[in-house]
Amino acid sequence: MQAHPFRVGVAGLGTVGAAALKIIARQDNALTERAGRAIRVTAVSARDRSRDRGHDLSRYRWFDDPVALARSDEVDCVVELMGGADGPAKAVVETAIEHGKHVVTANKALLARHGLDLARRAEERGVALAFEASAAGGIPVVKTLREALAGNRITRIYGILNGTCNYILSRMESDGLDFATCLAAAQKLGYAEADPTFDIGGFDTAHKLALLTSLAFGTEIDAQSIYVEGIEKITPLDLKMADELGFRIKLLGVAERSEAGIEQRVHPTMVPKSSAIAQVMGVTNAVTIDADAVRELTLIGPGAGGDATASAVVSDIADVASGTVSPPFGRPTARLDKAERAPMQRHEGGYYIRLTVHDRLGVAAGVASRMAEARISIESIVQKRPAGSLPPSDKHGRSGDPVPLVLITYAATEAAIREALEKIAGDGLVSEEPQVIRIERE
Amino acid sequence: MQAHPFRVGVAGLGTVGAAALKIIARQDNALTERAGRAIRVTAVSARDRSRDRGHDLSRYRWFDDPVALARSDEVDCVVELMGGADGPAKAVVETAIEHGKHVVTANKALLARHGLDLARRAEERGVALAFEASAAGGIPVVKTLREALAGNRITRIYGILNGTCNYILSRMESDGLDFATCLAAAQKLGYAEADPTFDIGGFDTAHKLALLTSLAFGTEIDAQSIYVEGIEKITPLDLKMADELGFRIKLLGVAERSEAGIEQRVHPTMVPKSSAIAQVMGVTNAVTIDADAVRELTLIGPGAGGDATASAVVSDIADVASGTVSPPFGRPTARLDKAERAPMQRHEGGYYIRLTVHDRLGVAAGVASRMAEARISIESIVQKRPAGSLPPSDKHGRSGDPVPLVLITYAATEAAIREALEKIAGDGLVSEEPQVIRIERE
């Protein structure tokens, strides 16, 4: 056992930071056994010193300036839990690395934007840059990709990476409520921010996906090329139709190796009800990895929350304290491949398309022939008419009222789907923007 | 990067050994990047040199004697894939450690019996004893328990750890077939051995559970105290009743920290249909961990098969090659607690009890009052009578024919259940041995 304790400085004492302090105190002995040396928090920094965090801070040295903490001689490892893609968080991480200190961070926004540069600096200084808590909170997906699947060639990784979205979709499905109502409920429960755009727009998922893609495929982080679509436009009708057709709707982040390159996308997705990921309800996260040797591996657990995220932070600290320092993204940054971006237009898969059509004879036929022209095969087509109304073939029934027409397609390209939908719109068959939801099969 | 390659000797070239050789060859570059040095298989040993393994063995040094391989100067790490709790496998592992070589093994039987002693020897020599492949095949549960959950106090771990049993139970449920038919199907598909006792009797699950218990609770391996019950007595009727009552039946290994100590048990178990583990069908394995910080984490993946198990073996090799050597069971063996065994009689939980009773008036009442005497609360009681038959209250219907009577209890102790069942048998109410299946809630 090493004589010197491993000295940790924590910058940022929000829910995760406070939970990390408590866990390190509570698990003191176990962590010492695990790491082969004592782990001691020696310094902390936060915006507000006086706030009650339910934990006595007097035993740690206080820094008003987190950058000063990052260069303190009393710290071997800086834990950055401040958040933000730039500004102080970036300064703290850069300063810590520059001063030869290990870094543990939960900051996905920072890494999605500057991860490659920071990893390069950490390698040059021979320090760790660990970020298990940055993707899927308490689920050890970073460790799994980087270490456990070292013998695998990964072909696809996809997951529910944002608990807010999954909570909203779960509530919409179980209670038949609309998006706005469920968003308000999520905000009330503290699952969604006052400005929820970052979560519901899919951007938080995209940041996490960017990191997982790099780990899975050994490629440079390429957050800019991620196709992102949020859940704002999902309606109770879509969830009902999904249910009837054997699917659930989840906001997924998907990264896939295709012939066209690496495809990265975030969007509401239809998943078969029987899949492991479809069972994941509420704020829980899940990740499925397809790989040549293990075939399919699914990890399900808490994606957020102070304790769960702190669990990942502490796991990183214990690894670093025990001497495990490997390249942050699984291989030296210089050996990461440039990701060949697969454009979304070339994405190929099944689609759910809900059109709002005028309830007239021949509309379904008109839609179907436009799909055929674009060489799209249709697996099923379902026309919903309000209960009790007459079919349009009846002479009294040709109301032309808007009704939903739902198509499930076999594998088609995004480009073909877009082309067909444009023509259908041009034909005057639809009265609203079509709803398009991609299908992800196991 | 280290100049010297990491030299691996593989003892045992069955499906896992052959798959490991192929993966190391195929993932050569990726493994080198990951480990920071080249990983080279230099020596192999197996019973039959001439067998075609679909892989050119001429580039490796051949050893007829695996123990000679274990002390070879050309090997830094010995991979033991021979199997068997004693005999040659044990000799190989002991010899390797004695000669200062790291050991990677998939041998759960060996570790369940001698793991503590072997871990002690490895620690003394400062070498690794890695065994990710020993429990749940391709699922990184050892790494998760030892590293990812270092900050957690684990309260329970349970899982489907034997694919053969899960395949048989899945087939019985989906196709309404009996145990013998599904066992024969499993044997035909190569999922079950000619002598299936080890799998279906729960002993394989018990070996794996013994290892996971030690990792989860920081206790000495205590395989002898595991309560073990196999799946041989599960009937299609039980699966049908489970379905009607909202459960599925899985063979689970469960380790739990209770007031009485550490409870370890393997038995057919009713799990709520909505739980993640209930969705796991076929040969797939799954493990759920309950812990204070992450709450609940579930890992689902392949529990057996050459490639999946070899994936875990290669992950261990890469970790060891990169310099990660930590105590095999998460803390030094001297610091592992002596497990306080919680006797099965003190197990407390819900129970499914299927009695075969004589179809006479008052039988249900007689059963219910015996349960009440033993202070067992009943959640539901279902009496199944052949369709079309008359109720026993009808004067023509008092046939006394045997019919099933199913009880679901609230939490009760094993001792109370056994006591009540003995009295019910003494009352002459039942015509067959009762079926008792424990319920495991999320």
Side-chain angles (χ1 to χ4, degrees):
Chain A
M1 180 148 333
Q2 295 204 14
H4 295 292
F6 188 71
R7 300 165 307 165
V8 174
V10 179
L13 295 177
T15 50
V16 178
L21 293 184
K22 278 174 219 165
I23 288 177
I24 293 171
R26 189 170 66 209
Q27 289 287 103
D28 187 13
N29 287 335
L31 288 169
T32 303
E33 304 292 8
R34 155 82 190 102
R37 63 198 290 195
I39 292 173
R40 293 272 170 276
V41 176
T42 51
V44 295
S45 173
R47 259 184 297 220
D48 180 2
R49 187 170 188 171
S50 61
R51 213 180 101 206
D52 179 19
R53 294 172 175 93
H55 188 79
D56 176 21
L57 298 182
S58 66
R59 61 181 123 167
Y60 315 123
R61 177 152 173 214
W62 177 269
F63 285 87
D64 281 323
D65 175 9
V67 176
L69 179 148
R71 55 173 177 255
S72 161
D73 286 341
E74 292 163 42
V75 164
D76 302 309
C77 175
V78 174
V79 178
E80 185 276 303
L81 300 172
M82 299 156 61
D86 289 284
K90 182 160 171 269
V92 163
V93 172
E94 286 178 350
T95 304
I97 293 171
E98 201 181 305
H99 287 76
K101 297 175 196 314
H102 302 292
V103 171
V104 171
T105 177
N107 192 332
K108 51 208 160 267
L110 172 71
L111 291 173
R113 187 171 298 171
H114 304 291
L116 203 62
D117 176 55
L118 295 173
R120 195 178 292 119
R121 292 172 187 232
E123 282 164 35
E124 282 167 12
R125 289 291 278 139
V127 295
L129 173 65
F131 56 92
E132 184 64 83
S134 306
I139 302 176
V141 61
V142 171
K143 184 176 270 294
T144 296
L145 287 169
R146 194 177 48 203
E147 300 168 20
L149 299 181
N152 287 258
R153 190 169 189 272
I154 294 168
T155 48
R156 181 174 59 158
I157 175 165
Y158 61 99
I160 297 169
L161 301 173
N162 182 279
T164 310
C165 289
N166 206 50
Y167 173 81
I168 291 172
L169 292 172
S170 299
R171 278 295 302 271
M172 287 178 72
E173 184 190 323
S174 64
D175 301 350
L177 299 171
D178 67 10
F179 173 77
T181 308
C182 295
L183 170 59
Q187 284 170 320
K188 211 170 161 185
L189 287 162
Y191 294 157
E193 309 281 339
D195 176 2
T197 320
F198 194 67
D199 288 318
I200 63 172
F203 305 106
D204 174 71
T205 300
H207 282 164
K208 295 167 180 167
L209 183 66
L211 305 181
L212 299 183
T213 302
S214 173
L215 284 162
F217 301 118
T219 49
E220 293 182 356
I221 297 168
D222 184 19
Q224 290 71 34
S225 75
I226 301 178
Y227 173 86
V228 183
E229 210 177 277
I231 62 166
E232 307 90 334
K233 286 197 282 182
I234 301 298
T235 68
L237 177 60
D238 294 319
L239 288 156
K240 192 166 164 288
M241 292 302 307
D243 182 54
E244 285 178 22
L245 293 159
F247 294 98
R248 281 208 169 112
I249 301 177
K250 299 291 182 189
L251 183 80
L252 293 193
V254 185
E256 193 169 3
R257 211 193 269 278
S258 76
E259 280 174 25
I262 304 284
E263 195 176 292
Q264 294 184 85
R265 49 197 165 85
V266 173
H267 51 68
T269 313
M270 296 262 183
V271 292
K273 261 191 225 173
S274 61
S275 64
I277 223 148
Q279 319 305 325
V280 177
M281 306 302 271
V283 292
T284 304
N285 282 20
V287 182
T288 295
I289 302 159
D290 295 339
D292 58 355
V294 295
R295 301 284 193 88
E296 185 179 297
L297 187 66
T298 298
L299 315 180
I300 304 171
D307 281 344
T309 308
S311 163
V313 167
V314 172
S315 154
D316 275 347
I317 295 173
D319 275 356
V320 177
S322 69
T324 304
V325 178
S326 49
F329 292 96
R331 57 173 81 175
T333 47
R335 310 286 182 87
L336 291 168
D337 296 329
K338 265 239 165 312
E340 180 135 5
R341 302 176 184 187
M344 198 59 193
Q345 289 296 314
R346 289 190 59 182
H347 167 70
E348 200 166 346
Y351 285 79
Y352 158 100
I353 300 167
R354 176 171 59 76
L355 302 171
T356 306
V357 299
H358 303 293
D359 192 13
R360 288 192 297 253
L361 250 185
V363 167
V367 166
S369 65
R370 284 304 193 186
M371 298 305 263
E373 275 173 40
R375 304 186 152 271
I376 298 162
S377 298
I378 294 169
E379 188 184 311
S380 61
I381 181 160
V382 181
Q383 199 157 0
K384 284 276 162 184
R385 196 165 289 123
S389 71
L390 297 166
S393 60
D394 186 285
K395 58 186 172 179
H396 306 294
R398 309 187 103 181
S399 62
D401 287 348
V403 291
L405 179 74
V406 170
L407 309 169
I408 298 287
T409 79
Y410 285 104
T413 63
E414 183 89 10
I417 295 285
R418 294 293 163 196
E419 179 201 320
L421 290 178
E422 243 169 61
K423 288 197 176 147
I424 288 165
D427 293 343
L429 296 174
V430 295
S431 65
E432 279 177 32
E433 271 291 290
Q435 173 75 286
V436 176
I437 304 177
R438 292 161 198 88
I439 297 170
E440 198 74 27
R441 305 266 177 194
E442 275 185 293
Chain B
M1 181 152 328
Q2 294 206 8
H4 294 293
F6 188 71
R7 300 164 307 164
V8 175
V10 180
L13 296 175
T15 50
V16 178
L21 294 183
K22 278 174 219 163
I23 287 176
I24 293 171
R26 189 169 66 209
Q27 289 288 102
D28 188 13
N29 288 334
L31 288 170
T32 303
E33 304 291 9
R34 155 82 190 101
R37 62 198 293 196
I39 292 172
R40 293 270 169 275
V41 176
T42 51
V44 294
S45 174
R47 259 184 297 219
D48 179 3
R49 187 171 188 170
S50 62
R51 212 180 102 207
D52 178 18
R53 295 174 173 91
H55 188 79
D56 176 20
L57 299 181
S58 66
R59 61 181 123 166
Y60 314 122
R61 176 152 174 213
W62 176 269
F63 285 86
D64 281 322
D65 176 9
V67 175
L69 177 148
R71 56 172 177 253
S72 161
D73 287 340
E74 292 163 41
V75 165
D76 302 309
C77 174
V78 174
V79 178
E80 185 277 304
L81 300 171
M82 299 157 60
D86 289 284
K90 182 160 170 267
V92 163
V93 172
E94 287 177 350
T95 305
I97 293 170
E98 201 181 305
H99 285 76
K101 296 173 198 316
H102 302 292
V103 171
V104 171
T105 177
N107 192 334
K108 52 210 159 266
L110 173 70
L111 291 174
R113 188 170 301 172
H114 304 291
L116 204 61
D117 177 55
L118 295 173
R120 196 176 293 118
R121 291 172 188 234
E123 281 164 35
E124 282 167 12
R125 287 293 277 140
V127 296
L129 173 65
F131 56 92
E132 183 65 80
S134 305
I139 302 177
V141 62
V142 171
K143 185 177 271 292
T144 296
L145 288 170
R146 195 177 47 204
E147 300 167 21
L149 298 182
N152 287 259
R153 190 169 189 274
I154 294 169
T155 48
R156 181 173 60 157
I157 175 166
Y158 61 100
I160 297 168
L161 301 173
N162 182 279
T164 310
C165 289
N166 206 50
Y167 173 82
I168 292 172
L169 292 172
S170 299
R171 278 295 303 271
M172 287 178 71
E173 182 189 324
S174 63
D175 301 349
L177 299 171
D178 67 11
F179 173 76
T181 307
C182 295
L183 170 58
Q187 285 170 320
K188 213 170 160 186
L189 287 162
Y191 294 155
E193 309 282 337
D195 176 1
T197 319
F198 195 67
D199 288 319
I200 62 172
F203 306 106
D204 173 72
T205 300
H207 282 163
K208 295 167 180 167
L209 183 66
L211 305 181
L212 299 184
T213 303
S214 173
L215 285 162
F217 301 117
T219 50
E220 294 183 355
I221 298 169
D222 185 18
Q224 289 73 32
S225 75
I226 301 178
Y227 173 85
V228 183
E229 210 177 277
I231 62 166
E232 307 89 334
K233 287 197 281 183
I234 301 298
T235 68
L237 177 59
D238 294 319
L239 288 156
K240 192 166 162 289
M241 292 303 307
D243 181 55
E244 285 177 21
L245 294 160
F247 294 99
R248 282 209 169 110
I249 301 177
K250 300 290 182 190
L251 183 80
L252 293 193
V254 185
E256 192 169 3
R257 211 194 271 275
S258 76
E259 280 175 24
I262 303 285
E263 196 175 291
Q264 295 184 86
R265 49 199 165 84
V266 173
H267 51 69
T269 312
M270 297 263 183
V271 291
K273 262 190 223 172
S274 61
S275 64
I277 223 147
Q279 319 305 324
V280 177
M281 305 303 272
V283 292
T284 304
N285 282 19
V287 182
T288 295
I289 301 158
D290 294 340
D292 58 355
V294 295
R295 301 283 191 88
E296 185 179 296
L297 188 66
T298 298
L299 315 179
I300 304 171
D307 281 345
T309 309
S311 162
V313 167
V314 172
S315 153
D316 275 347
I317 295 172
D319 274 355
V320 178
S322 68
T324 304
V325 177
S326 48
F329 292 96
R331 58 174 79 174
T333 47
R335 310 285 182 89
L336 290 168
D337 296 328
K338 266 239 166 308
E340 180 135 4
R341 301 177 183 187
M344 197 59 195
Q345 290 296 315
R346 289 190 59 182
H347 166 70
E348 199 166 348
Y351 285 79
Y352 158 99
I353 300 167
R354 177 170 59 76
L355 302 170
T356 306
V357 299
H358 303 292
D359 192 13
R360 287 193 297 254
L361 250 185
V363 167
V367 166
S369 65
R370 284 305 193 186
M371 299 303 263
E373 276 172 38
R375 305 186 152 271
I376 298 163
S377 298
I378 294 170
E379 186 183 313
S380 60
I381 182 160
V382 182
Q383 199 157 0
K384 283 277 163 184
R385 195 164 289 123
S389 72
L390 297 165
S393 60
D394 187 286
K395 58 185 172 180
H396 307 296
R398 308 185 106 179
S399 64
D401 287 347
V403 291
L405 179 74
V406 170
L407 309 169
I408 299 286
T409 78
Y410 284 104
T413 64
E414 184 90 10
I417 295 285
R418 293 295 163 196
E419 179 200 320
L421 290 179
E422 243 169 63
K423 288 197 178 146
I424 289 165
D427 294 341
L429 297 174
V430 295
S431 65
E432 278 176 34
E433 271 290 289
Q435 173 76 289
V436 176
I437 303 178
R438 293 162 197 87
I439 297 170
E440 197 75 24
R441 306 267 178 193
E442 273 185 292

